[in-house]
């Protein structure tokens, strides 16, 4: 496996995102500990692991929603450990939520427009263009005038992705966007995420359905009990003894 440690040397391109010895505790519970991660620009990484493994907590720390208890985060050449979620979004890192939370009473277009113009010093024209671009990328232009609360599950997931895309991220963190979808719906979502990736955006995608994840991710990380227990080529990770043990031990899948 490639040496992804900080200061490991030999890398010609600096990672876009680095977490060093990252930890997050809630009282006595270490939800996340000793996490080390380097993400290359344009890389697509899948994250799996049993419920409660700390996957969402990791994304929350990386996106500025949670302040880490330990460790350091760098993004795009800056130390961002104390940067909040709006600051991370402005810097170019955004995440979607496990449970989509569209603004009710607003249209699909308005929901994405808020994402496009959020915290940014951009003109209305630019925000409009970003909104149309994100809706088109997510196959939602025909739903632009629909009220967000009337959308079905796949379209609410697409809206969550479109709102994130409209911020023009360099890195997008996806938290179980495929959950609860049929196979055909999951395929539709995979196409969208591939198109986002084709623009050079790095993807970190948490998903339980591994075969869906691996249509996009070329690198797989498995977490258990707050730690990364395997990180590398998907085949190697899935056959790793610690990964098998983590799943068997928790009785998942
Ligand atoms: P995953 O996404 O892998 O299912 P989470 O990151 O959501 O796991 O949770 C990891 C652990 O941290 C769980 O034990 C969960 O109950 C706990 N946890 C997550 N968020 C909070 C919070 N805000 N307050 C207290 N405990 C939390
Ligand atoms: Mg989660």
């Amino acid at each position: 496996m490639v040496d992804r440690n900080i200061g490991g040397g030999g890398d010609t391109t600096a990672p876009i995102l680095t977490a060093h010895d990252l930890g997050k505790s809630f009282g006595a519970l270490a939800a996340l500990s000793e996490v080390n991660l380097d993400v290359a620009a344009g890389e697509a990484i899948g994250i799996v692991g049993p419920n409660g493994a700390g996957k969402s907590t990791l994304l929350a720390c990386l996106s500025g929603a949670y302040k880490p208890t330990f460790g350091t985060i760098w993004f795009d050449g800056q130390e961002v450990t104390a940067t909040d979620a709006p600051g991370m979004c402005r810097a170019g890192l955004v995440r979607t939520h496990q449970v989509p939370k569209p603004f009710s009473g607003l249209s699909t277009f308005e929901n994405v427009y808020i994402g496009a113009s959020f915290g940014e010093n951009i003109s209305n024209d630019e925000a409009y263009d970003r909104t149309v671009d994100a809706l088109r990328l997510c196959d939602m232009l025909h739903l632009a005038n629909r009220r967000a609360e009337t959308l079905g599950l796949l379209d609410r997931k697409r809206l969550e992705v479109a709102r994130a895309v409209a911020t023009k991220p360099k890195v997008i963190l996806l938290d179980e966007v495929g959950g609860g979808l049929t196979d055909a719906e999951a395929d539709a979502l995979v196409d969208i995420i591939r198109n986002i990736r084709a623009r050079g955006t790095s993807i970190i995608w948490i998903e339980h359905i591994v075969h869906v994840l691996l249509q996009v991710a070329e690198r797989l990380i498995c977490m258990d009990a707050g730690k990364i227990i395997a990180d590398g080529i998907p085949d190697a990770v899935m056959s790793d003894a610690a990964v098998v043990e983590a799943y068997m031990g928790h009785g998942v899948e």
Side-chain angles (χ1 to χ4, degrees):
M1 206 192 302
V2 180
D3 178 5
R4 296 182 181 280
N5 290 337
I6 295 165
D11 281 342
T12 47
T13 50
I16 181 120
L17 178 66
T18 294
H20 179 63
D21 204 17
L22 198 64
K24 176 70 181 174
S25 299
F26 299 105
L29 174 76
L32 201 67
S33 54
E34 295 166 30
V35 165
N36 289 291
L37 180 66
D38 275 356
V39 180
E43 194 172 28
I45 301 174
I47 302 184
V48 295
N51 283 327
K55 306 179 298 295
S56 294
T57 301
L58 173 59
L59 293 205
C61 288
L62 295 175
S63 66
Y66 287 166
K67 189 176 183 319
T69 315
F70 307 102
T72 323
I73 304 169
W74 285 271
F75 175 65
D76 205 14
Q78 305 287 323
E79 209 224 285
V80 294
T81 316
T83 305
D84 63 8
M88 289 308 294
C89 185
R90 278 193 296 275
L93 183 146
V94 67
R95 81 156 163 166
T96 66
H97 293 89
Q98 200 166 336
V99 180
K101 292 176 216 152
F103 298 111
S104 304
L106 297 185
S107 69
T108 298
F109 186 94
E110 288 164 333
N111 263 274
V112 178
Y113 188 92
I114 289 169
S117 50
F118 176 76
E120 295 245 27
N121 201 6
I122 59 171
S123 67
N124 293 347
D125 280 355
E126 169 70 12
Y128 180 91
D129 288 346
R130 284 191 188 193
T131 304
V132 171
D133 173 69
L135 287 172
R136 185 177 291 126
L137 190 73
C138 295
D139 285 333
M140 295 197 86
L141 261 186
H142 62 293
L143 298 170
N145 294 322
R146 277 274 294 275
R147 285 166 78 107
E149 71 271 22
T150 69
L151 296 173
L153 182 62
L154 173 62
D155 289 327
R156 267 181 288 145
K157 302 268 188 179
R158 283 201 268 228
L159 175 56
E160 185 76 14
V161 175
R163 282 204 299 188
V165 165
T167 68
K168 293 240 165 187
K170 293 178 178 135
V171 175
I172 187 165
L173 313 178
L174 303 167
D175 197 347
E176 297 197 25
V177 280
L181 300 181
T182 66
D183 285 352
E185 289 172 336
D187 285 347
L189 201 63
V190 162
D191 285 344
I192 290 167
I193 295 168
R194 278 184 166 157
N195 287 337
I196 295 169
R197 205 260 171 115
R199 295 180 161 191
T201 309
S202 303
I203 311 267
I204 302 180
W205 184 4
I206 297 173
E207 199 64 66
H208 282 295
I209 316 157
V210 177
H211 69 89
V212 170
L213 200 53
L214 295 188
Q215 290 177 59
V216 178
E218 74 260 339
R219 174 177 163 202
L220 193 62
I221 287 175
C222 182
M223 296 183 65
D224 186 36
K227 294 189 172 160
I228 291 177
I229 59 167
D231 177 355
I233 295 159
D235 279 351
V237 170
M238 291 314 288
S239 57
D240 185 283
V243 172
V244 174
E245 168 64 23
Y247 276 91
M248 305 293 266
H250 288 76
V252 178
E253 292 180 334

